Amino acid sequence: MPGVHIGEYPAFFFLSRSCTREMLFRFLIFCIIKHMDNFLDQLNEKQREAVLLKDGPLLIFAGAGTGKTRVITYRIAYLLSQGVSPLNILAVTFTNKAAEEMRRRIDVLVPGMGRSVWISTFHSFCAKFLRTEARHVGLDPNFLIYDENDQKQVIKSCIKELNLDEKKFKPARLIEIISRAKDDMLDADSYSIHALTSGDYFRQVVATIYGLYQSKLKQSGALDFGDLLLLTVINLRENKALKEKYQYRFRYIMVDEYQDTNHAQYLLIKYIGAESKNICVVGDDDQSIYSWRGADIRNILEFEKDYPDCRTIKLEQNYRSTSNILSSAWHVIKNNERRVEKKLWTNKEEGNPIKFIENRNAIEESEAVAGEIERLRNKNKYNFCDFSVFYRTNAQSRVLEDSFRRSGIPYIIIGSVRFYERAEIKNVLAYLRLIHNPHDNVSFRRVINIPKRGIGKTTMQALESIASEKGVSLWGALPYIGFAEIASSARKSLFNFKELIKELQKNKENESVKEIALKVLDKTNYVAELEAEDTLEAKNRIENIFELISAIEEFESRSSDRTLTGYLTQVALVNEIDDWTESNDKVVLMTLHLAKGLEFKTVFITGLEEGLFPIGESSYDIDDLEEERRLMYVGMTRAKESLYLSWAQERTVFGKTHWNIPSRFVQETQSMDSIFEVRTAKADAGEEVIEIERKEGVKEYIDEQHQMFALGSRVFHQKFGKGKIIDKSGSGENLKVIVLFDTGQWKKLVVKYANLDII
DNA sequence: CGGTAGTCAGTTTTT
DNA sequence: CTGACTACCG
C-alpha cells in the first residue's frame, strides 16, 4: 500500500483520519484507472463495447447468463474512471436483491464506491424522491407506505361506506384495477373520466371507489406502491424546476430488467434522461414475466423508436449454463411466437443430462428432491447453498419444507409467509407507525384494542362516525368523543390510548428505532400479556417479536438512514430475499418469479403439471401461455450445472386431490432420454424409496398423456353416452380418467376397460 | 365487550 | 385445508 502514489501523495495519506471524502474519491478513481485495462480484459468484445459506449442512449439485449450485471457494474466503474461523479449516476433495478448485488459487485471493483452511486429499485427511488421533495410536491415528508394488506383494509372500508356488495366488488380485484390504472398513469380523476365516457357501470363504480380510496389514503397520510410511481412521474412532468434538477443530477442512467418496466416507470426514465439522453437499458424480452403487474414489453421492443440515435448491442454468449441446459431452455422458449430471435451460445461442455422425475404425489416429489440433494452432496461435495428449488405458487413450499425438515436439510424459504405479515409483528409495527404518524387509520384500527382495553365494535362505530362527520382521521376524532355516546369506561380507554401514543412519541427524534420499539413493548405490556397466555403459540409469537428487535438492530447497523421513517420505508419496500446471503449454507426455496437474476449450481423445478405450470386457465390464452413459458425459461436458465424437472401425478389443493398430466414444457425441452420414477416401497424396516429409471418409450408415454386422453377432450361411452374428460391419473394400463357426462353425472374410469371413443 | 363456533371463499406470480 | 369474517351468547 505505501508504494502506491497518487500524484505526489502516498496512498496511506488518503487512508489516514484526515482524509476527506473527496480525497478518498480521487484515490479510488486513481485505482480504477490503474486497473481499467485489466477490467476490460475480463470482458468479451460485445460486453466491452457496451461498457465503453459512455454517452447516448444504449439498448442492451442481454440473454440469460450473458453477464448483464457484469456489464452494468463495469460500465459504472468505467464512468467513474472517466471522471463522472458517482453522484451523477443512477442505476435502477427491479428488486432490492438485484440492487444489493449490484452494489456489492461495484464495491469489489471499486472498494467503497458501491454506497456513493445511487442504486435502487424504482419504488425506493420514488419514495426517496417524494420525501426529499415533499415540500414541492405537497406531501408530508413523513408519509407512510401502505402495502397490499393495508390497501385491502382501506378498500374494504370504502366498500362498506358505499354500501356495496363485497362479492360483486372484490377487494383483491379492486386493488388490482387501481394498481394497474396507476401503472398506466391514470389517477382517480382520469380514471373517472374514462369510466364516464365508456358508459360502463362497473367501471363507474370502480371510479367512485378509487376516488374514495385516495381520499382515505390522504386522510391516513399514506401512499400505496402505485402512488409512489404515479406521483413521482406527475411531479416530474408538471414541475419544470424539479425536472431540471433531477435531469442535471442524474447524467447517467442505467435500467436493469427493462423488459419488466410499466408505463409509469418508462416515463420516469424518459423524463429524467430527457436532457442528457445517457440512458442505458438492459433487458431480455424472453425474461419478461411481469405483464400481470402492468409491465409493458413494448418498452424494450420500441426503445429504438423512442431514441432513434440509440445504439443496440446483443449479448449472446452465455457463461452460466452447460450446453445441455442452454439448448433445452432454447427448445422451450422457441415455441413462443412473440419474441426477438436470439441465439445464445456457450463454449461450455455438454454437462449432465437434464433429469426428469415423475412422482405419484407432491410428498414423494419432495422426498425425491431431498433425496437427490443428499445424494449429490455426498457424491460431489456440494454445499447446501448450491441447490435451489423453484415452484410456481408459494403454497407448494409447505410440502417441500416438511421433507427437508425430516431429512435434516437446512433450507430457507424466500417470500412465502412473510415475516412482516405475522400478526404479532404487524401489531408492533402498527404501534411504530402510529408513533410516526398517528393518523394512520389502518394501524389505529389494528391496535386500538391490542392488548385488550375494552374497546369494541360499538365504540369503534361511534368513533368512525365522528371521524367521517368531521372529516378527520380516527386519531383526529379522539378530541370529540366527549360529545358522543360512548360508555364511560370505553371513553377512558380511548383517552388512555391517546396518552400512551403521546407518551411513546415523546423524545422519538432522539431515540433509536430499537429504543422506540422496546418502549412500545414495555408500555403496552404486549409481551407480558403473551407470556400470561402460556401457550406454545404465544411463545412462538414472543420469539418472533424478539426476532423483529434483532431485525431492527440489523437495520440500524447497516442502513444509512436510521430514522423511524427510514425503517418503516424499508419494511414496506424490502422483502426478505435481501437478507439472504450465500454465507448461510442452506438450500434455497422460492417461486420462479423470485428466481430471476439468480443462479445456482443445481436447480429443481417442481410441480411441472398442466394446470399448475402453466397455471390455471393460462394455457387457453396465447399471451398468458407465452408468459408462463418465459417463466419456465427463466427457471431453467438459472442452472449452472444440473437441472431437474419434476412433476407429480396427483396433487392436493384446498384439501382436494387432482390428477394432472405432465406440463407441456417438459416435452418441449426435447431432451427426455429417460424418466425417473420414485416409488416408496414398504420394507421391514419401514419405508424405502426406490428409484426406477424408465428409458424406453418415454416420448410415446408423454405423447399419450397429452394427446390420447387430453383434459377437456370429448369422449363417448357405450353406457353413459357423451362426456368430457375433466381429470386424469396414472399411465399405461393404469390410465384413469374422470369423465363428466352430458347427463350431469361423472365417473372415474380405467381407460383400458372402459372402451372410450374419442369424438 | 369478548369469546367461540360456524361459514365461506380463496392461491398465481410482487414492489 | 387454512384464514378471515360473522353471528350469537355469556
Side-chain angles (χ1 to χ4, degrees):
Chain A
M1 238 358 189
V4 179
H5 282 66
I6 297 135
E8 65 260 43
Y9 305 111
F12 55 79
F13 172 81
F14 291 91
L15 300 174
S16 71
R17 298 181 79 199
S18 63
C19 103
T20 65
R21 200 187 163 89
E22 181 61 19
M23 285 161 135
L24 186 62
F25 173 58
R26 290 196 182 284
F27 169 66
L28 290 169
I29 296 308
F30 167 81
C31 293
I32 309 170
I33 296 167
K34 198 167 179 308
H35 293 291
M36 203 62 220
D37 289 345
N38 289 345
F39 287 177
L40 295 176
D41 284 347
Q42 293 163 21
L43 302 170
N44 70 31
E45 198 186 318
K46 291 282 179 193
Q47 291 175 331
R48 201 176 311 132
E49 203 184 331
V51 166
L52 295 176
L53 274 170
K54 174 168 160 270
D55 295 300
L58 174 63
L59 166 63
I60 304 174
F61 273 103
T66 54
K68 182 185 58 161
T69 310
R70 164 172 281 227
V71 165
I72 298 179
T73 50
Y74 278 58
R75 220 180 117 81
I76 290 172
Y78 177 70
L79 290 174
L80 294 171
S81 79
Q82 295 299 297
V84 175
S85 161
L87 301 177
N88 289 336
I89 301 173
L90 171 66
V92 195
T93 64
F94 219 69
T95 64
N96 295 290
K97 168 86 185 135
E100 240 6 90
E101 172 69 7
M102 203 169 283
R103 205 181 305 272
R104 193 184 65 77
R105 284 171 65 169
I106 288 174
D107 258 340
V108 171
L109 289 179
V110 199
M113 223 10 105
R115 249 168 300 147
S116 307
V117 179
W118 192 333
I119 307 173
S120 68
T121 62
F122 274 102
H123 288 86
S124 46
F125 173 86
C126 294
K128 212 161 160 188
F129 170 88
L130 293 171
R131 283 200 210 286
T132 312
E133 307 299 341
R135 225 157 33 91
H136 303 292
V137 302
L139 277 176
D140 177 341
N142 288 328
F143 64 82
L144 282 165
I145 298 167
Y146 270 10
D147 67 14
E148 207 180 317
N149 268 303
D150 302 324
Q151 293 183 56
K152 208 173 213 167
Q153 301 305 318
V154 179
I155 285 282
K156 278 185 179 166
S157 74
C158 292
I159 293 172
K160 217 185 228 170
E161 197 170 316
L162 295 168
N163 272 322
L164 295 166
D165 183 1
E166 255 196 37
K167 281 181 186 131
K168 247 181 138 180
F169 297 92
K170 289 182 183 162
R173 175 89 189 104
L174 289 163
I175 290 171
E176 210 189 310
I177 295 173
I178 293 173
S179 303
R180 290 299 77 75
K182 288 177 180 177
D183 291 340
D184 283 335
M185 297 298 298
L186 289 172
D187 60 14
D189 289 343
S190 325
Y191 187 92
S192 176
I193 293 166
H194 277 252
L196 281 173
T197 37
S198 76
D200 180 337
Y201 169 73
F202 181 80
R203 281 171 70 180
Q204 283 169 20
V205 179
V206 172
T208 313
I209 297 171
Y210 190 173
L212 185 60
Y213 170 81
Q214 287 308 123
S215 69
K216 280 184 187 290
L217 284 188
K218 197 169 180 193
Q219 186 113 91
S220 291
L223 303 180
D224 66 14
F225 292 134
D227 287 335
L228 293 174
L229 280 159
L230 179 70
L231 291 181
T232 301
V233 175
I234 288 180
N235 280 291
L236 283 173
R237 189 176 64 196
E238 309 294 330
N239 187 330
K240 193 160 173 266
L242 214 50
K243 183 155 122 183
E244 280 170 3
K245 177 178 166 188
Y246 281 81
Q247 287 177 340
Y248 180 77
R249 159 102 201 240
F250 296 114
R251 309 298 295 170
Y252 291 90
I253 304 169
M254 265 152 279
V255 188
D256 193 10
E257 309 283 10
Y258 192 67
Q259 76 280 357
D260 283 329
T261 50
N262 59 39
H263 188 58
Q265 290 163 335
Y266 160 83
L267 287 178
L268 177 67
I269 296 305
K270 186 174 169 178
Y271 291 151
I272 298 180
E275 231 290 298
S276 72
K277 294 265 178 23
N278 295 326
I279 305 170
C280 167
V281 302
V282 188
D284 178 3
D285 54 318
D286 285 337
Q287 292 185 66
S288 161
I289 55 175
Y290 284 102
S291 71
W292 51 274
R293 213 172 74 184
D296 193 339
I297 200 163
R298 280 177 306 180
N299 289 347
I300 192 166
L301 298 178
E302 290 176 13
F303 188 83
E304 286 162 311
K305 224 190 260 169
D306 291 335
Y307 303 93
D309 56 337
C310 99
R311 299 285 302 267
T312 302
I313 292 174
K314 278 189 188 177
L315 302 179
E316 293 174 312
Q317 182 177 2
N318 176 294
Y319 292 94
R320 181 184 293 149
S321 312
T322 64
S323 72
N324 267 340
I325 293 169
L326 209 56
S327 93
S328 322
W330 181 76
H331 277 292
V332 172
I333 197 69
K334 82 178 165 70
N335 289 292
N336 273 7
E337 280 164 26
R338 277 184 44 177
R339 64 185 287 268
V340 175
E341 180 54 38
K342 288 165 241 64
K343 37 180 191 325
L344 287 195
W345 59 278
T346 179
N347 51 25
K348 287 203 175 182
E349 56 193 15
E350 277 193 358
N352 303 325
I354 291 169
K355 200 163 173 180
F356 298 86
I357 307 179
E358 180 169 79
N359 309 274
R360 270 192 301 228
N361 55 46
I363 296 170
E364 290 192 357
E365 179 182 47
S366 304
E367 295 292 333
V369 171
E372 197 60 16
I373 288 173
E374 279 180 334
R375 193 180 69 81
L376 284 179
R377 254 177 62 84
N378 293 333
K379 197 177 123 200
N380 297 350
K381 303 272 173 277
Y382 278 11
N383 294 315
F384 286 115
C385 62
D386 292 328
F387 299 95
S388 65
V389 186
F390 303 153
Y391 34 80
R392 182 64 179 84
T393 66
N394 277 309
Q396 289 165 252
S397 68
R398 283 200 188 175
V399 193
L400 286 159
E401 198 176 359
D402 289 342
S403 288
F404 284 2
R405 213 179 290 139
R406 264 199 301 275
S407 331
I409 296 175
Y411 63 90
I412 176 169
I413 296 181
I414 295 177
S416 67
V417 184
R418 297 204 174 154
F419 179 68
Y420 287 103
E421 279 173 19
R422 290 174 198 185
E424 60 276 18
I425 302 302
K426 276 161 86 176
N427 290 340
V428 179
L429 287 175
Y431 272 104
L432 293 180
R433 279 163 48 157
L434 283 176
I435 292 166
H436 178 254
N437 164 16
H439 298 290
D440 171 5
N441 280 346
V442 172
S443 296
F444 189 102
R445 287 193 197 99
R446 180 164 190 100
V447 293
I448 182 68
N449 206 28
I450 291 175
K452 308 241 153 29
R453 34 175 87 87
I455 296 168
K457 220 176 180 176
T458 323
T459 309
M460 277 312 279
Q461 259 165 11
L463 194 62
E464 298 264 5
S465 66
I466 297 173
S468 71
E469 230 170 77
K470 306 271 176 194
V472 293
S473 65
L474 293 169
W475 174 263
L478 287 177
Y480 304 106
I481 57 172
F483 309 100
E485 289 193 14
I486 291 177
S488 69
S489 65
R491 188 171 304 173
K492 191 148 183 270
S493 289
L494 285 173
F495 178 77
N496 288 341
F497 180 74
K498 190 176 168 187
E499 290 305 309
L500 169 72
I501 298 297
K502 278 187 172 170
E503 166 76 22
L504 290 166
Q505 282 175 330
K506 257 187 222 160
N507 212 23
K508 66 170 180 175
E509 310 300 334
N510 302 316
E511 289 170 328
S512 70
V513 181
K514 185 186 168 190
E515 281 168 332
I516 300 174
L518 288 175
K519 216 162 78 178
V520 167
L521 297 182
D522 178 41
K523 302 273 181 206
T524 59
N525 251 346
Y526 190 29
V527 174
E529 196 149 287
L530 283 170
E531 266 167 4
E533 274 183 37
D534 197 31
T535 60
L536 201 69
E537 198 195 333
K539 257 188 192 152
N540 225 323
R541 290 183 191 279
I542 295 170
E543 256 174 48
N544 286 335
I545 290 173
F546 285 116
E547 212 173 299
L548 174 69
I549 299 293
S550 16
I552 293 174
E553 268 174 5
E554 162 87 29
F555 160 82
E556 288 182 328
S557 70
R558 196 184 43 182
S559 176
S560 53
D561 176 7
R562 289 170 208 173
T563 60
L564 185 53
T565 315
Y567 178 67
L568 293 174
T569 304
Q570 195 225 237
V571 169
L573 296 179
V574 173
N575 74 32
E576 69 228 86
I577 192 169
D578 311 307
D579 295 336
W580 156 68
T581 51
E582 279 168 46
S583 61
N584 294 329
D585 188 21
K586 291 174 178 172
V587 176
V588 188
L589 282 66
M590 67 179 94
T591 62
L592 285 142
H593 280 86
L594 278 180
K596 195 171 60 155
L598 307 176
E599 60 176 31
F600 298 88
K601 274 191 184 154
T602 300
V603 165
F604 293 85
I605 301 180
T606 62
L608 276 159
E609 295 132 40
E610 285 290 308
L612 183 62
F613 189 24
I615 200 164
E617 312 275 276
S618 61
S619 47
Y620 300 121
D621 180 287
I622 180 83
D623 289 335
D624 289 350
L625 178 64
E626 293 204 346
E627 181 145 320
E628 293 290 308
R629 193 176 279 118
R630 289 193 291 270
L631 197 52
M632 178 70 182
Y633 177 74
V634 166
M636 293 177 79
T637 51
R638 300 307 99 196
K640 292 200 269 192
E641 294 177 5
S642 309
L643 176 61
Y644 287 79
L645 305 181
S646 78
W647 62 93
Q649 292 171 335
E650 56 179 61
R651 191 172 291 272
T652 307
V653 183
F654 295 149
K656 271 197 152 182
T657 302
H658 296 269
W659 290 272
N660 300 316
I661 56 174
S663 166
R664 69 194 68 198
F665 301 148
V666 168
Q667 115 207 87
E668 284 175 8
T669 62
Q670 308 236 328
S671 28
M672 261 188 301
D673 299 326
S674 59
I675 296 180
F676 288 84
E677 289 173 62
V678 177
R679 294 286 181 252
T680 310
K682 293 254 194 296
D684 288 346
E687 292 199 338
E688 192 187 341
V689 172
I690 300 169
E691 242 186 30
I692 306 161
E693 186 176 356
R694 179 166 7 131
K695 278 200 188 267
E696 299 199 358
V698 164
K699 190 172 180 311
E700 291 75 8
Y701 165 66
I702 292 287
D703 285 350
E704 174 203 355
Q705 293 267 319
H706 278 281
Q707 288 159 19
M708 291 284 288
F709 291 95
L711 294 190
S713 55
R714 302 272 302 162
V715 292
F716 178 76
H717 186 274
Q718 293 288 337
K719 191 168 155 202
F720 303 112
K722 290 177 184 176
K724 196 171 91 174
I725 295 179
I726 54 170
D727 221 334
K728 193 167 166 172
S729 68
S731 62
E733 293 205 340
N734 295 316
L735 183 66
K736 300 179 198 75
V737 290
I738 294 179
V739 182
L740 177 64
F741 289 101
D742 295 349
T743 54
Q745 64 173 330
W746 59 271
K747 293 272 173 216
K748 187 170 178 178
L749 304 164
V750 179
V751 172
K752 195 184 170 194
Y753 304 114
N755 235 337
L756 290 168
D757 287 324
I758 306 259
I759 51 175

